[in-house]
Amino acid sequence: MKTLKRDVIKLFILSGISFVIVLYILYKSVTNFIIQQELQKAKLLAHTLVYTRDYLAKMAPYIEFKNQNFHPFSMTPAYVVSKIATIIRTKEHIYVKQTSDKYRDVHNIPNSYELKAIEYLKKHKDDESYMKIISTHNKTKLFYAYPLKITKSCLKCHGPKDEIPPSLYNKIVKIYGNRAFGYKLGELRGIIAIQIPFEEVKNNVKTLFLLMSLLLFFLYIGGIYFFMTLNKMIIDDIEKINDYLDKNLSKNIYRPFRAQMSFLEFNFVKKELNNVVKALKNYKKESYENLYYNPLTKLPNRKKMLTVIKRLKAPIILFDIDSFKEVNYYYGEDIANKLIIEVANRLKEYRLFHIKIDEFAIMTSKEITKEEIYKLTENLIKELEKPYKVEDFSIILRFRAGISYIRRNFMAVLSALDATRILNKDIVFCSEANNIREKYKEHLIWMKRVKESLEDDRIVPFFQPIVDKNKKICKYEALVRMIDGNKVISPFFFLEVAKKSRFYFDITKVMITKVLEKIEEYNVVISINLTTLDMENEEMRKFIIEKLKDFKYIDKLHFEIVESEDIKNSNEAVEFVKTLKDLGCQILIDDFGSGYANFDYLLSLGADAVKIDGTLIKNILTDKNSQIVVKTIITFAKEVNMQVIAEFVEKDKVFEYLKNLGIDCYQGYFYSPPKPDIML
C-alpha cells in the first residue's frame, strides 16, 4: 500500500536527478553554443583574410612602386596577409598565422596542430575547414584552419618558370629562391590558422552555471521545504480525519467533527463527514426504534424485552389472542391494526411489551406472589375479553396466557403459553410446561438423528410380503426404517418429527429411489406410502414424475395413499393421484374403514384397491361392528372391481376367517414381519 510521504520523497529524488541531468544538458548546450560563436568569429576572420588575398591577387599586377623603401612584394597576397596576421596577434591578441608545410618564410613554420590540419585538408579535399579544441600551456583554445588553394591568379607569379615575366621571376628568386614556382591549380598551398582563447569564455560559462546551479539548488531546497511543509499540512489534516474516525465512528460515537482543517478540500471532507454523522445518528435512531420497538403500537418489542429481563429478573405474563388470523382475514388489516392498538391501551398501565402482532407481555413486580400473579392474569384476561368497539364493529377476542414465575425468562413464559394449547387451559405456569419441554428436547434429539441417518444413508426400506389366499406372495409393501448400529428403529419414533422439517421429503425421496431399484432388481410389485403432505409439495411432485418418466416397470409400482381424510380438501393431491394413474401406477387407499369411509370419494379417486384398516382386522373374530364394516367394504369393493387387502393379519384363525369373507390379499405377522430385503 502506498503512502503519501513515501511518494513525495520519491518525487523529490526523481526531480533532483532530473534537475542534475537538465543542468548537465544545458551546460553542454551552452558550451557548444559558445564554441559555435567563437567558431563563427574564426570563420569570419579567415574569410576576411582570404577575400583580402583574392583582392590583392587581382590588383597586384597593376601596381607599380616608385618609392624604393617599400618591399618589392608589399601588395602581394602572401606578404600582405602575413603582415595583417602580425598586427592582429599584436593588437587583438588573437593568434593568426598563414603557414604551409612548404613554407618560404622561416617565420611561418607550422606547428604540430597546423601540420595535422594541413594533412587532414589534403586528405579531405572537399572539406572547407578544420576545427579542434586544443590545450596549450594549460589554456584551452579554439583552433581553426582554412585551406589556401592555388587559383589562376596565383599561377601568374608562382606557375611554371617559363610563363613568368623575367623581371618578376628574378625578384622572386632573389627573395624566396626556386621554391616559389611550379604550383598547380587547385593544389593546397597552405592554411590560415587561427587560435582563439577559449579559457576565459569557458570559465565565464562555468561561473554562470555555478551561479545558476546554486540559484536552482536553493530553489530546489526551497521547493523541498515548501512541499514538505505542504505534505505535513496534508498529513495533519488526514491524521485529524483518521483520529476522528478512530475515536468516534469506529466506536459508533456520532459526535460532530470540529477540528480546524488547513485546506479547503479537507474542510469539504469534514463537512461531508458531519453530514454522514448526522445521517448515521438519524439512521441509528431509526434503526434503534425499528429494532427495539413495534412500528404499530410504538411499544418495546421482544428484543427490548430480552435486554430488560437480564436486568430486572421479574415475573412475566405473556398474552396471546386466540385465532387472531381469522379476525385479520374477516375484518381486514386496517380494522385488525386498530384492534391491536385498543388491546395495548387496556394494558398500558403495566410495563408492556408488544412481542408479535397478537402477543403482548407485561413484567410485574418482583415481590408479587404466585397467587397474586395468577389472580392478576385472570382479571386482565377478563378485561381484555370485553367487547372492542372499532368503527362500526363490536369485536370480542379470546385470550390465553403463560406465566414465568420461578424461572423468569422469555423461553420459560413462551413454553408456558405453548402449553395452554396442549393442556387446553387459559392460564399455565411455566412449571406446568416441563413435560412439554422434555418433548421439545426429545424432538430435537430425533431431528438430529434423522439428519445424521440421511447423511450416512441409514434410512432404508424394509419389505413386508402381501400374500393371496394360498399364502403365495403377490406383492410387497415398502416400510421406512432407520438403522442405528444393530438396531432397526420404527418410523413411530422419527417420522412425525421429520414431518415438521424438510427431512421428511428427503426420506420420501430416499424411499422412492431405493424402491425403484428393488423393482428393477427383482421384477416384483412393491407399494410405497404417499401422504397428502408429499403430494401438496411441488418439489416432491416434480421429483416423483422425473423418476417415473423413463421407469420401465412402472406397472409394478403401487402408491398407498394415507391420510385419506385430508386428501379430499387438497386439489393438488387429487390431481397428482390422477397424474400417477395416467403414468401407469396403481393407487391403493390405505387404512380404509377407520373413522372415515366415504365410498363416493373412493370412487372419485379411481383407486385400484383398498387396504382395510388394522383396527378392524384385529378384532374381527370378536367384534360384531368390525365384522359388519369389513363385510360392507368387501361387498362394495367387489361391486366396483377393486382389490381388497387386509392389514395386521397376525393369526391363522383371522386369516381363515377373512379368506371365507372373500378378501383378496393378506398382510401381517402371520406370514412374515417386514424384512430388509425381498423374499422370493
Side-chain angles (χ1 to χ4, degrees):
M1 181 69 71
K2 290 184 177 181
T3 64
L4 183 61
K5 184 176 181 180
R6 184 181 297 174
D7 276 1
V8 169
I9 292 172
K10 189 185 296 183
L11 175 65
F12 282 128
I13 292 172
L14 291 175
S15 63
I17 294 171
S18 302
F19 168 70
V20 172
I21 293 171
V22 168
L23 270 182
Y24 176 78
I25 293 172
L26 187 60
Y27 174 77
K28 286 294 183 182
S29 299
V30 172
T31 302
N32 186 62
F33 174 76
I34 292 172
I35 290 172
Q36 292 299 320
Q37 292 297 312
E38 296 301 309
L39 180 62
Q40 289 301 322
K41 186 191 297 184
K43 284 183 178 180
L44 181 60
L45 180 58
H47 283 109
T48 300
L49 295 175
V50 169
Y51 293 149
T52 301
R53 283 176 59 91
D54 289 344
Y55 175 77
L56 292 172
K58 291 176 181 179
M59 295 298 296
Y62 305 102
I63 297 174
E64 180 179 353
F65 291 98
K66 293 181 178 182
N67 189 341
Q68 297 300 319
N69 294 324
F70 283 102
H71 192 282
F73 301 109
S74 294
M75 291 301 292
T76 59
Y79 181 84
V80 173
V81 169
S82 294
K83 293 299 180 181
I84 292 172
T86 302
I87 294 170
I88 292 172
R89 284 199 301 271
T90 304
K91 293 186 176 182
E92 300 297 329
H93 304 291
I94 296 176
Y95 177 88
V96 180
K97 183 179 180 181
Q98 183 177 249
T99 185
S100 172
D101 56 342
K102 297 178 181 179
Y103 57 89
R104 298 193 298 271
D105 189 345
V106 294
H107 297 293
N108 292 333
I109 297 174
N111 59 31
S112 61
Y113 298 112
E114 292 163 348
L115 284 173
K116 287 181 180 179
I118 292 169
E119 290 175 4
Y120 175 85
L121 291 170
K122 282 184 177 181
K123 290 181 180 178
H124 303 84
K125 295 180 180 181
D126 293 333
D127 284 4
E128 295 181 354
S129 64
Y130 173 85
M131 189 275 290
K132 189 176 181 66
I133 302 297
I134 63 174
S135 295
T136 59
H137 307 293
N138 296 322
K139 293 183 179 180
T140 304
K141 299 178 181 179
L142 172 68
F143 174 77
Y144 178 79
Y146 187 86
L148 296 174
K149 295 182 180 180
I150 300 301
T151 63
K152 288 182 179 180
S153 60
C154 296
L155 295 176
K156 291 178 181 180
C157 297
H158 300 287
K161 296 177 182 180
D162 53 356
E163 294 181 8
I164 300 172
S167 59
L168 180 60
Y169 174 79
N170 292 329
K171 288 181 181 180
I172 295 171
V173 169
K174 184 178 179 180
I175 296 173
Y176 298 111
N178 289 322
R179 291 180 299 169
F181 306 104
Y183 294 175
K184 296 178 181 179
L185 186 64
E187 181 183 27
L188 181 69
R189 177 67 188 92
I191 61 171
I192 294 176
I194 300 172
Q195 292 183 26
I196 298 177
F198 192 67
E199 189 68 30
E200 184 179 352
V201 175
K202 186 177 179 183
N203 290 336
N204 289 338
V205 170
K206 287 181 179 179
T207 302
L208 176 63
F209 264 88
L210 179 61
L211 293 173
M212 287 177 61
S213 299
L214 287 172
L215 176 62
L216 291 174
F217 176 74
F218 285 118
L219 288 174
Y220 177 71
I221 295 299
I224 290 177
Y225 176 78
F226 171 75
F227 278 108
M228 292 302 290
T229 303
L230 181 66
N231 178 65
K232 184 178 182 305
M233 293 169 70
I234 292 172
I235 295 299
D236 286 345
D237 277 0
I238 293 173
E239 285 180 350
K240 288 175 185 176
I241 295 171
N242 288 338
D243 186 60
Y244 170 78
L245 293 173
D246 183 57
K247 291 181 178 178
N248 292 273
L249 296 190
S250 65
K251 298 176 182 177
N252 295 323
I253 300 171
Y254 304 112
R255 297 193 188 98
F257 185 17
R258 302 189 186 280
Q260 187 64 39
M261 309 304 286
S262 302
F263 295 95
L264 182 64
E265 290 81 1
F266 287 111
N267 206 52
F268 174 76
V269 173
K270 183 178 80 171
K271 290 179 180 178
E272 290 302 310
L273 271 174
N274 283 333
N275 289 335
V276 170
V277 167
K278 185 177 179 181
L280 284 172
K281 287 174 76 173
N282 292 334
Y283 176 75
K284 182 181 180 182
K285 182 180 178 182
E286 291 174 6
S287 298
Y288 183 84
E289 290 175 353
N290 292 335
L291 184 64
Y292 290 110
Y293 290 86
N294 185 281
L296 176 61
T297 60
K298 308 304 179 186
L299 290 169
N301 60 15
R302 172 176 171 169
K303 285 185 179 293
K304 185 66 175 178
M305 182 180 182
L306 292 175
T307 62
V308 174
I309 288 172
K310 291 179 181 178
R311 291 188 291 106
L312 297 183
K313 294 292 182 183
I316 308 165
I317 307 171
L318 182 61
F319 295 96
D320 179 72
I321 304 173
D322 265 349
S323 304
F324 182 72
K325 188 185 294 183
E326 296 175 5
V327 174
N328 209 351
Y329 287 155
Y330 182 77
Y331 292 102
E333 185 177 358
D334 186 52
I335 296 295
N337 287 343
K338 291 178 180 179
L339 187 60
I340 288 297
I341 293 172
E342 289 299 318
V343 171
N345 287 336
R346 293 190 184 184
L347 297 169
K348 64 182 179 181
E349 63 181 277
Y350 299 94
R351 187 161 198 159
L352 182 60
F353 300 87
H354 193 173
I355 307 304
K356 292 196 299 188
I357 187 63
D358 56 351
E359 283 185 6
F360 292 87
I362 64 172
M363 295 186 71
T364 64
S365 168
K366 291 183 179 182
E367 289 75 25
I368 194 169
T369 65
K370 190 172 183 180
E371 291 75 17
E372 287 173 338
I373 197 171
Y374 187 86
K375 188 64 178 177
L376 172 64
T377 306
E378 275 189 324
N379 292 336
L380 287 174
I381 287 178
K382 287 178 183 179
E383 179 65 24
L384 291 169
E385 290 183 346
K386 290 179 181 179
Y388 293 86
K389 186 69 175 177
V390 181
E391 295 185 1
D392 297 331
F393 302 102
S394 179
I395 304 170
I396 296 176
L397 300 175
R398 288 293 309 273
F399 286 81
R400 293 177 292 105
I403 304 171
S404 67
Y405 182 76
I406 298 173
R407 293 173 62 193
R408 301 187 181 188
N409 62 62
F410 185 76
M411 291 309 299
V413 75
L414 186 61
S415 64
L417 182 63
D418 288 343
T420 58
R421 297 186 183 90
I422 298 168
L423 301 175
N424 197 24
K425 295 171 67 175
D426 290 337
I427 303 172
V428 172
F429 281 92
C430 62
S431 56
E432 299 176 70
N434 287 334
N435 292 335
I436 297 170
R437 282 195 294 273
E438 287 300 319
K439 287 185 179 180
Y440 288 158
K441 180 180 177 181
E442 186 178 354
H443 173 92
L444 293 173
I445 291 171
W446 276 107
M447 190 72 75
K448 182 173 182 292
R449 293 181 70 179
V450 168
K451 180 178 181 294
E452 291 173 349
S453 296
L454 284 165
E455 291 172 350
D456 298 339
D457 195 26
R458 291 188 285 106
I459 298 295
V460 299
F462 270 44
F463 303 93
Q464 188 171 30
I466 300 173
V467 299
D468 59 17
K469 59 185 177 179
N470 297 317
K471 295 186 179 181
K472 182 179 178 182
I473 298 174
C474 54
K475 64 181 76 173
Y476 299 84
E477 180 181 4
L479 300 165
V480 67
R481 296 290 187 269
M482 178 191 292
I483 306 300
D484 188 1
N486 295 324
K487 295 179 182 178
V488 178
I489 300 173
S490 166
F492 171 81
F493 296 99
F494 64 86
L495 200 57
E496 287 303 315
V497 172
K499 283 184 179 180
K500 296 176 183 178
S501 71
R502 293 287 302 173
F503 295 143
Y504 173 73
F505 298 114
D506 293 333
I507 291 173
T508 303
K509 290 177 182 179
V510 168
M511 287 292 291
I512 290 173
T513 301
K514 292 187 176 183
V515 164
L516 294 181
E517 290 172 357
K518 287 296 180 183
I519 292 174
E520 284 186 327
E521 182 179 358
Y522 291 101
N523 193 21
V524 293
V525 177
I526 303 177
S527 65
I528 186 170
N529 291 328
L530 204 62
T531 66
T532 305
L533 190 62
D534 291 317
M535 293 183 285
E536 287 181 334
N537 183 273
E538 183 179 1
E539 182 185 342
M540 182 55 65
R541 294 199 300 269
K542 288 180 179 179
F543 174 82
I544 294 172
I545 291 171
E546 187 65 28
K547 279 287 186 181
L548 300 183
K549 188 166 58 176
D550 299 318
F551 188 59
K552 297 179 181 178
Y553 305 96
I554 199 164
D555 58 317
K556 298 186 182 300
L557 178 63
H558 295 180
F559 283 103
E560 296 190 16
I561 307 301
V562 298
E563 302 169 0
S564 52
E565 280 192 74
D566 296 331
I567 197 173
K568 67 179 181 179
N569 298 317
S570 174
N571 291 330
E572 292 96 337
V574 172
E575 289 301 316
F576 189 62
V577 168
K578 293 178 181 178
T579 300
L580 292 176
K581 283 189 66 64
D582 291 341
L583 288 172
C585 301
Q586 288 201 16
I587 303 299
L588 284 66
I589 304 301
D590 197 18
D591 299 332
F592 192 76
S594 175
Y596 176 79
N598 189 325
F599 291 104
D600 179 64
Y601 184 69
L602 190 64
L603 290 172
S604 68
L605 281 178
D608 299 289
V610 293
K611 295 183 77 173
I612 300 174
D613 187 69
T615 57
L616 296 172
I617 301 301
K618 284 182 179 180
N619 302 319
I620 192 72
L621 297 178
T622 57
D623 184 46
K624 189 68 174 177
N625 291 332
S626 294
Q627 294 172 2
I628 293 170
V629 173
V630 170
K631 288 177 182 178
T632 303
I633 294 171
I634 293 170
T635 301
F636 172 78
K638 296 296 183 183
E639 287 293 327
V640 295
N641 198 29
M642 283 186 188
Q643 190 181 53
V644 182
I645 303 169
E647 292 185 295
F648 289 90
V649 181
E650 297 178 350
K651 300 176 182 179
D652 281 333
K653 288 182 179 181
V654 174
F655 170 70
E656 294 297 333
Y657 179 83
L658 294 173
K659 186 165 65 171
N660 291 331
L661 292 179
I663 297 287
D664 298 305
C665 295
Y666 310 85
Q667 180 180 354
Y669 277 73
F670 89 101
Y671 183 80
S672 173
K675 299 286 186 180
D677 208 347
I678 298 296
M679 297 170 55
L680 296 176

Coordinates of all heavy atoms in Angstrom, one line a residue, residues 348-383:
K348 N -51.9 -0.6 29.2 CA -50.8 0.5 29.2 C -50.3 0.8 30.6 O -49.3 1.4 30.7 CB -51.4 1.7 28.4 CG -52.6 2.3 29.1 CD -53.0 3.5 28.3 CE -54.3 4.2 28.9 NZ -54.7 5.3 28.1
E349 N -51.1 0.6 31.6 CA -50.7 0.9 32.9 C -49.6 0.0 33.5 O -49.0 0.3 34.5 CB -51.8 1.0 33.9 CG -52.5 -0.4 34.1 CD -53.7 -0.3 35.1 OE1 -53.4 -0.3 36.3 OE2 -54.8 -0.2 34.6
Y350 N -49.3 -1.1 32.8 CA -48.3 -2.0 33.2 C -47.0 -1.8 32.3 O -47.1 -1.2 31.3 CB -48.8 -3.5 33.0 CG -50.0 -3.8 33.9 CD1 -51.3 -3.6 33.4 CD2 -49.8 -4.1 35.2 CE1 -52.4 -3.9 34.2 CE2 -50.9 -4.4 36.0 CZ -52.2 -4.2 35.5 OH -53.3 -4.5 36.3
R351 N -45.9 -2.5 32.7 CA -44.7 -2.4 31.9 C -44.9 -3.4 30.7 O -44.8 -4.6 30.8 CB -43.5 -2.9 32.7 CG -42.2 -2.7 31.9 CD -41.0 -2.7 32.9 NE -39.9 -2.1 32.2 CZ -38.8 -1.6 32.8 NH1 -38.8 -1.5 34.1 NH2 -37.8 -1.1 32.1
L352 N -45.3 -2.8 29.6 CA -45.9 -3.6 28.5 C -44.9 -3.7 27.3 O -44.2 -2.8 27.0 CB -47.2 -2.9 28.0 CG -47.9 -3.6 26.9 CD1 -48.4 -5.0 27.3 CD2 -49.1 -2.7 26.5
F353 N -44.9 -4.9 26.7 CA -44.1 -5.2 25.5 C -45.0 -5.8 24.5 O -45.8 -6.7 24.8 CB -42.9 -6.2 25.9 CG -42.0 -5.6 26.9 CD1 -42.3 -5.8 28.3 CD2 -40.9 -4.9 26.6 CE1 -41.4 -5.4 29.3 CE2 -40.0 -4.5 27.5 CZ -40.3 -4.7 28.9
H354 N -44.7 -5.4 23.2 CA -45.5 -6.0 22.1 C -44.6 -7.0 21.4 O -43.7 -6.6 20.6 CB -45.9 -4.9 21.1 CG -46.9 -5.3 20.1 ND1 -47.5 -4.4 19.3 CD2 -47.5 -6.5 19.9 CE1 -48.4 -5.1 18.5 NE2 -48.4 -6.3 18.8
I355 N -44.9 -8.3 21.6 CA -43.9 -9.4 21.2 C -44.2 -9.7 19.7 O -43.3 -9.6 18.9 CB -44.1 -10.6 22.0 CG1 -44.0 -10.3 23.5 CG2 -43.1 -11.7 21.6 CD1 -42.7 -9.6 23.9
K356 N -45.4 -10.1 19.4 CA -45.8 -10.4 18.0 C -47.1 -9.6 17.8 O -47.6 -9.0 18.7 CB -46.0 -11.9 17.7 CG -44.7 -12.7 17.8 CD -44.8 -14.1 17.1 CE -45.8 -14.9 17.9 NZ -45.8 -16.3 17.4
I357 N -47.6 -9.7 16.6 CA -48.8 -8.9 16.3 C -50.0 -9.3 17.2 O -50.7 -8.4 17.7 CB -49.3 -9.1 14.8 CG1 -50.4 -8.2 14.4 CG2 -49.6 -10.6 14.5 CD1 -50.1 -6.7 14.5
D358 N -50.0 -10.5 17.7 CA -51.1 -10.9 18.6 C -50.6 -11.4 19.9 O -51.3 -12.1 20.6 CB -52.0 -12.1 17.9 CG -51.1 -13.3 17.5 OD1 -49.9 -13.2 17.6 OD2 -51.7 -14.3 17.2
E359 N -49.4 -11.0 20.3 CA -48.8 -11.3 21.6 C -48.3 -10.1 22.3 O -47.6 -9.3 21.7 CB -47.7 -12.3 21.4 CG -48.1 -13.7 21.1 CD -46.9 -14.7 21.1 OE1 -45.7 -14.3 21.4 OE2 -47.1 -15.9 20.7
F360 N -48.7 -10.0 23.6 CA -48.2 -8.9 24.5 C -47.7 -9.5 25.8 O -48.2 -10.6 26.2 CB -49.4 -8.0 24.8 CG -49.9 -7.2 23.7 CD1 -50.9 -7.7 22.8 CD2 -49.4 -5.9 23.4 CE1 -51.4 -6.9 21.8 CE2 -49.8 -5.2 22.3 CZ -50.8 -5.7 21.5
A361 N -46.7 -8.9 26.3 CA -46.1 -9.4 27.6 C -46.0 -8.2 28.6 O -45.8 -7.1 28.2 CB -44.7 -9.9 27.4
I362 N -46.3 -8.5 29.8 CA -46.1 -7.5 30.9 C -45.1 -8.1 31.9 O -45.1 -9.3 32.2 CB -47.4 -7.0 31.5 CG1 -48.1 -8.2 32.2 CG2 -48.3 -6.4 30.5 CD1 -49.3 -7.8 33.0
M363 N -44.3 -7.2 32.5 CA -43.4 -7.5 33.6 C -44.0 -7.0 34.9 O -44.4 -5.8 34.9 CB -42.0 -7.0 33.3 CG -41.4 -7.6 32.1 SD -39.6 -7.1 31.9 CE -38.9 -8.0 33.3
T364 N -44.1 -7.8 35.9 CA -44.8 -7.4 37.1 C -43.7 -7.1 38.2 O -42.5 -7.1 37.9 CB -45.7 -8.6 37.6 OG1 -44.8 -9.7 37.9 CG2 -46.7 -8.9 36.6
S365 N -44.2 -6.8 39.4 CA -43.3 -6.5 40.5 C -42.6 -7.8 40.9 O -43.1 -8.9 40.8 CB -44.1 -6.0 41.6 OG -43.3 -5.9 42.8
K366 N -41.3 -7.7 41.3 CA -40.5 -8.8 41.7 C -41.1 -9.5 43.0 O -41.0 -10.7 43.2 CB -39.1 -8.4 42.0 CG -38.3 -8.0 40.8 CD -36.9 -7.7 41.2 CE -36.0 -7.4 40.0 NZ -34.6 -7.1 40.4
E367 N -41.8 -8.7 43.8 CA -42.3 -9.2 45.1 C -43.7 -9.8 45.0 O -44.2 -10.3 46.0 CB -42.4 -8.0 46.1 CG -41.1 -7.5 46.5 CD -40.4 -6.6 45.5 OE1 -41.1 -6.1 44.6 OE2 -39.2 -6.5 45.5
I368 N -44.3 -9.9 43.8 CA -45.6 -10.5 43.7 C -45.6 -11.9 44.0 O -44.7 -12.7 43.6 CB -46.2 -10.2 42.2 CG1 -47.7 -10.5 42.2 CG2 -45.4 -11.0 41.2 CD1 -48.3 -10.0 40.9
T369 N -46.7 -12.4 44.6 CA -46.7 -13.9 44.9 C -47.3 -14.6 43.8 O -47.9 -14.0 42.8 CB -47.6 -14.1 46.2 OG1 -49.0 -13.7 45.9 CG2 -47.1 -13.3 47.4
K370 N -47.2 -15.9 43.8 CA -47.7 -16.8 42.7 C -49.2 -16.6 42.7 O -49.8 -16.6 41.6 CB -47.3 -18.2 43.0 CG -47.6 -19.2 41.8 CD -47.0 -20.5 42.0 CE -47.2 -21.4 40.8 NZ -46.7 -22.8 41.0
E371 N -49.9 -16.6 43.8 CA -51.4 -16.5 43.8 C -51.8 -15.1 43.3 O -52.8 -15.0 42.5 CB -51.9 -16.6 45.2 CG -51.8 -18.1 45.8 CD -50.4 -18.4 46.2 OE1 -49.5 -17.5 46.4 OE2 -50.1 -19.6 46.4
E372 N -51.0 -14.1 43.6 CA -51.3 -12.7 43.1 C -51.2 -12.6 41.6 O -52.0 -12.0 41.0 CB -50.5 -11.7 43.9 CG -50.8 -11.5 45.3 CD -49.8 -10.6 46.1 OE1 -48.7 -10.5 45.6 OE2 -50.2 -10.1 47.1
I373 N -50.1 -13.2 41.1 CA -49.9 -13.1 39.7 C -50.9 -13.9 38.9 O -51.4 -13.5 37.8 CB -48.4 -13.5 39.3 CG1 -48.1 -13.0 37.9 CG2 -48.3 -15.0 39.3 CD1 -46.7 -13.1 37.5
Y374 N -51.4 -15.0 39.5 CA -52.4 -15.8 38.8 C -53.7 -15.0 38.8 O -54.4 -14.9 37.7 CB -52.6 -17.1 39.5 CG -53.6 -18.0 38.7 CD1 -53.1 -18.9 37.7 CD2 -54.9 -18.1 39.1 CE1 -54.0 -19.7 37.0 CE2 -55.8 -18.9 38.4 CZ -55.3 -19.7 37.4 OH -56.2 -20.5 36.7
K375 N -54.0 -14.4 39.9 CA -55.3 -13.6 40.0 C -55.2 -12.4 39.1 O -56.2 -12.0 38.4 CB -55.5 -13.1 41.5 CG -56.8 -12.4 41.7 CD -58.0 -13.4 41.5 CE -59.3 -12.8 41.9 NZ -60.4 -13.7 41.6
L376 N -54.0 -11.7 39.0 CA -53.9 -10.6 38.1 C -54.1 -11.0 36.7 O -54.8 -10.3 35.9 CB -52.4 -10.0 38.3 CG -52.0 -8.9 37.3 CD1 -52.9 -7.7 37.5 CD2 -50.6 -8.6 37.5
T377 N -53.6 -12.2 36.3 CA -53.7 -12.7 34.9 C -55.2 -12.9 34.6 O -55.7 -12.6 33.5 CB -52.9 -13.9 34.7 OG1 -51.5 -13.7 35.1 CG2 -52.9 -14.4 33.3
E378 N -55.9 -13.5 35.6 CA -57.3 -13.8 35.4 C -58.1 -12.5 35.1 O -58.9 -12.4 34.2 CB -57.9 -14.5 36.6 CG -57.8 -16.0 36.6 CD -58.6 -16.6 37.8 OE1 -58.6 -16.0 38.9 OE2 -59.1 -17.7 37.5
N379 N -57.8 -11.5 36.0 CA -58.5 -10.2 35.9 C -58.2 -9.5 34.5 O -59.1 -8.9 33.9 CB -58.1 -9.3 37.0 CG -58.7 -9.8 38.3 OD1 -59.7 -10.6 38.4 ND2 -58.1 -9.4 39.4
L380 N -56.9 -9.6 34.1 CA -56.5 -9.0 32.9 C -57.2 -9.7 31.7 O -57.6 -9.0 30.7 CB -55.0 -9.0 32.7 CG -54.2 -8.0 33.6 CD1 -52.7 -8.2 33.5 CD2 -54.6 -6.6 33.3
I381 N -57.3 -11.0 31.7 CA -58.0 -11.7 30.6 C -59.4 -11.3 30.6 O -60.0 -11.1 29.5 CB -57.8 -13.2 30.8 CG1 -56.4 -13.7 30.5 CG2 -58.8 -14.0 29.9 CD1 -56.1 -15.1 30.7
K382 N -60.1 -11.2 31.7 CA -61.5 -10.7 31.7 C -61.6 -9.3 31.1 O -62.5 -9.0 30.4 CB -62.0 -10.7 33.2 CG -62.2 -12.1 33.8 CD -62.7 -12.0 35.2 CE -62.9 -13.4 35.8 NZ -63.3 -13.3 37.2
E383 N -60.6 -8.5 31.5 CA -60.7 -7.1 30.9 C -60.4 -7.1 29.4 O -61.1 -6.4 28.7 CB -59.6 -6.2 31.6 CG -59.5 -4.8 31.2 CD -60.7 -4.0 31.4 OE1 -61.5 -4.3 32.4 OE2 -61.0 -3.0 30.7

